[in-house]
Amino acid sequence: QCLNPTVFVIFGGTGDLNMRKLAPALYNLYSDGYMPKDYAIIGTARSKLTDVQFRNTIMEGVNSFSRAGKVKKEKWDGFAENVYYNPVDVSAPETFQDLKTSIEKLKKKFGPKTQVIYYLAVAPNLFPLIAECIAKYDLAGNEENCRIVIEKPFGRDLETARELNKLLTGIFTEKQIYRIDHYLGKETVQNIMAFRFANSFLEPLWNRTYIDHVQISVTEQLGVGDRGGYYDGAGALRDMIQNHILQLLCLIGMETPINFDADEIRNKKVDVLKAMRPFGPDDIRMSTVRGQYSKGWVEGKEVPGYRSEKDVAPESNTETFAAAKFFVDNWRWQGIPFYVRTGKRLFQTSSLITIQFKDVPHQVFPAGVTEHWQQNRLIISIQPEMSIRLQVQAKRPGLDMVLNPVDMVFDYKGTYSAEAPEAYETLLLDVMIADQTQFMRADQVESAWELLMPVINAWESKTSLSFPNYPADSWGPEDAEALIARDGFHWFTLP
Ligand code: BG6
């Protein structure tokens, strides 16, 4: 690809996100030949660092976190000579003047086609301040030459998300705003659209006539680690369901787009969110579950309960587990439950989407033949295994007629030799080529908040909870099992 010259400005340059994700992604893009011929990366933060110190800092990040392992000296030197550091303190807006001078110098050097990308890898309370400084110093450019990338969380409720959208769209046009949801950059997540819309056999089955229910399960073995300060004010519903999980649900639930245009795809996704059944008080009681982990043993080591984690209030009622049953009220999905669950300190790290099909309309085989019977399932495993499995019945070899379920498996490892890029590589490249398909539009973010607000409000108004209610290394609270068992199903897991 022939990309326009690009200046990447990373706010939060010395922060965790840049170390773990952005710098490794940019370096890997460079190593694989995807960076523009002319580019510069300017890290900004409050600390006073030289370019060389900053380059060394991010090299440590790349060495520790890149999928491709440690940097190769020659490549790194080529990459790092375009990396600069510019201290910026948002509480002293005049420091933006220096940044402006640096950007302008680079624009002059690279020519009139230069595009500037601001990446806000900072705490959300700084989003408005930085956006305002960008405006004040006349750095917001236009649709062709300037973009802004906003990390999650995008607001902490509907009202704050609306406020932030209002502020941003007062400075930038919607086409300049890239609200990132890193799940959308995952290889297996992007493949959902390919699988659904590039194959003809699925579409006739993809509806309430043939599908029994859908499960989306994103479970993590890790606890909150050192992110307690952020997480304690968020919780699992805001941290995972409002964004990643609802986006997965949209990909499963959306209608067929007429083409691959960013807005066409996002229109179809937002239609799903708008069709989702609002939660009334009874639904919240019957169809949602929250939980919090207590201490437990993981691989022979004792791990603390959530309330004893760093930067977490000792009496915290923040949920580290959330499950819910959703419905999409439209022709395709009427009456079909979408069960979702997510949580920390669970038994397995696994992101799975399971589509369970309805049973055969009439059983042809006698009892005995069907004792291992299992309705057909399509299992999209996002991580750590990257695969799509179709569970079908087959005759077990032998003289007797015995049926048992077997998996037809598309497994990335066995099919492709190339390593999948990291989500951030895909998404950063998309920003550079101005493709908004995998980014959240303002109405998507707001619709997702709108759907969840009744649950958030109800959960926050009830403070006497029997938390913690699940031990570390379990599958979460018993109520989550009951939520799905009441309808005659169970949470599907891969062995
Ligand atoms: C982040 C959440 O958005 O996604 C984290 O804030 C969570 O709490 C993470 O652990 C999960 O992402 P991944 O890519 O590891 O599945």
Side-chain angles (χ1 to χ4, degrees):
Q1 260 152 350
C2 180
L3 286 175
N4 283 337
T6 303
V7 179
F8 244 103
V9 181
I10 301 178
F11 292 93
T14 52
D16 210 44
L17 184 69
N18 193 26
M19 296 306 132
R20 285 172 182 269
K21 299 289 182 190
L22 307 181
L26 289 166
Y27 172 69
N28 287 337
L29 285 172
Y30 173 82
S31 298
D32 294 344
Y34 284 99
M35 284 302 274
K37 187 169 103 5
D38 292 320
Y39 73 92
I41 297 165
I42 307 180
T44 83
R46 269 188 311 191
S47 346
K48 302 247 178 304
L49 296 180
T50 63
D51 291 343
V52 173
Q53 283 169 324
F54 181 62
R55 288 169 190 162
N56 289 338
T57 310
I58 62 169
M59 187 172 75
E60 274 171 40
V62 180
N63 278 337
S64 313
F65 301 111
S66 166
R67 68 172 165 85
K70 290 200 186 273
V71 303
K72 299 199 177 53
K73 169 124 185 36
E74 223 168 274
K75 280 266 182 228
W76 176 260
D77 290 346
F79 171 74
E81 66 185 24
N82 300 310
V83 175
Y84 306 93
Y85 184 78
N86 208 129
V88 164
D89 181 354
V90 272
S91 61
E94 62 285 359
T95 52
F96 270 75
Q97 185 56 52
D98 273 355
L99 177 65
K100 181 174 176 155
T101 311
S102 307
I103 295 173
E104 258 149 28
K105 242 200 253 161
L106 287 160
K107 276 168 116 176
K108 218 162 164 193
K109 179 169 153 202
F110 293 159
K113 287 203 165 149
T114 307
Q115 51 185 13
V116 182
I117 295 168
Y118 301 105
Y119 200 116
L120 273 51
V122 292
N125 60 322
L126 300 180
F127 296 163
L129 298 176
I130 294 175
E132 275 162 355
C133 285
I134 289 174
K136 185 167 169 211
Y137 283 86
D138 198 17
L139 288 167
N142 59 39
E143 283 177 19
E144 265 74 58
N145 64 19
C146 178
R147 268 149 247 153
I148 182 163
V149 188
I150 310 279
E151 264 295 332
K152 66 172 275 247
F154 197 94
R156 75 178 307 279
D157 51 25
L158 179 59
E159 201 185 322
T160 47
R162 278 190 179 142
E163 275 168 20
L164 184 55
N165 274 332
K166 195 162 164 224
L167 181 123
L168 290 173
T169 49
I171 298 171
F172 301 93
T173 65
E174 183 61 33
K175 285 222 164 0
Q176 294 179 276
I177 305 172
Y178 287 66
R179 299 173 191 80
I180 209 161
D181 181 322
H182 79 281
Y183 263 60
L184 297 180
K186 289 183 190 271
E187 197 60 50
T188 33
V189 172
Q190 293 190 68
N191 203 22
I192 298 173
M193 288 237 283
F195 197 63
R196 279 197 60 195
F197 303 128
N199 295 297
S200 60
F201 77 98
L202 271 181
E203 176 55 22
L205 307 178
W206 208 258
N207 55 55
R208 63 190 297 276
T209 313
Y210 293 100
I211 290 176
D212 197 28
H213 74 276
V214 177
Q215 297 181 18
I216 302 177
S217 168
V218 180
T219 57
E220 294 181 282
Q221 279 181 304
L222 288 176
V224 285
D226 51 16
R227 294 171 72 230
Y230 147 74
Y231 195 89
D232 209 33
L237 197 64
R238 287 187 171 96
D239 186 50
M240 294 296 287
I241 296 189
Q242 189 273 342
N243 37 70
H244 310 321
I245 290 184
L246 284 179
Q247 284 303 304
L248 295 178
L249 195 153
C250 286
L251 286 166
I252 298 298
M254 69 194 275
E255 295 301 314
T256 315
I258 54 167
N259 57 34
F260 214 67
D261 280 357
D263 271 331
E264 168 61 8
I265 287 166
R266 298 187 299 175
N267 287 342
K268 293 291 189 279
K269 285 188 185 172
V270 92
D271 281 350
V272 178
L273 292 169
K274 286 190 176 145
M276 289 180 75
R277 189 176 302 169
F279 283 93
D282 285 346
D283 305 313
I284 295 170
R285 208 163 34 80
M286 297 303 292
S287 303
T288 69
V289 173
R290 56 179 154 160
Q292 191 191 74
Y293 61 83
S294 57
K295 66 180 178 184
W297 292 83
V298 178
E299 287 162 6
K301 257 179 65 187
E302 192 173 31
V303 295
Y306 176 69
R307 288 176 176 177
S308 310
E309 298 275 18
K310 191 171 141 239
D311 300 329
V312 168
E315 302 292 310
S316 172
N317 276 329
T318 298
E319 81 283 357
T320 58
F321 177 99
K325 173 160 81 166
F326 293 100
F327 286 98
V328 180
D329 286 336
N330 62 15
W331 273 44
R332 188 185 286 271
W333 296 114
Q334 185 52 242
I336 305 304
F338 285 72
Y339 302 94
V340 312
R341 72 169 174 182
T342 186
K344 298 210 180 276
R345 279 277 180 246
L346 296 180
F347 182 66
Q348 210 177 51
T349 294
S350 164
S351 301
L352 280 187
I353 302 176
T354 306
I355 319 282
Q356 178 149 326
F357 290 90
K358 290 195 169 154
D359 211 347
V360 293
H362 167 69
Q363 187 53 270
V364 179
F365 300 95
V369 172
T370 58
E371 78 191 73
H372 306 288
W373 191 261
Q374 166 60 57
Q375 284 162 247
N376 296 139
R377 283 184 184 133
L378 179 74
I379 301 142
I380 303 173
S381 177
I382 293 166
Q383 58 190 29
E385 178 181 300
M386 296 168 70
S387 68
I388 299 181
R389 295 162 176 268
L390 188 59
Q391 282 191 343
V392 296
Q393 312 290 341
K395 180 188 173 299
R396 196 183 275 183
L399 297 177
D400 294 333
M401 182 71 175
V402 176
L403 301 178
N404 69 317
V406 293
D407 285 6
M408 292 164 67
V409 186
F410 155 51
D411 163 38
Y412 281 65
K413 266 206 193 129
T415 311
Y416 303 112
S417 54
E419 201 187 352
E422 276 261 359
Y424 275 91
E425 291 169 43
T426 306
L427 296 174
L428 291 178
L429 184 60
D430 282 350
V431 181
M432 286 193 273
I433 60 176
D435 181 350
Q436 290 188 303
T437 315
Q438 312 296 353
F439 293 82
M440 314 266 283
R441 212 169 51 190
D443 53 349
Q444 282 176 285
V445 179
E446 290 182 14
S447 301
W449 278 122
E450 203 167 340
L451 175 71
L452 295 181
M453 281 324 294
V455 184
I456 290 175
N457 290 335
W459 283 8
E460 286 184 350
S461 65
K462 186 170 174 238
T463 47
S464 57
L465 297 169
S466 44
F467 271 7
N469 61 352
Y470 70 94
D473 206 30
S474 70
W475 278 114
E478 279 169 17
D479 285 353
E481 303 298 324
L483 168 80
I484 190 164
R486 273 198 295 275
D487 297 341
F489 312 125
H490 63 270
W491 293 104
F492 176 76
T493 53
L494 283 177

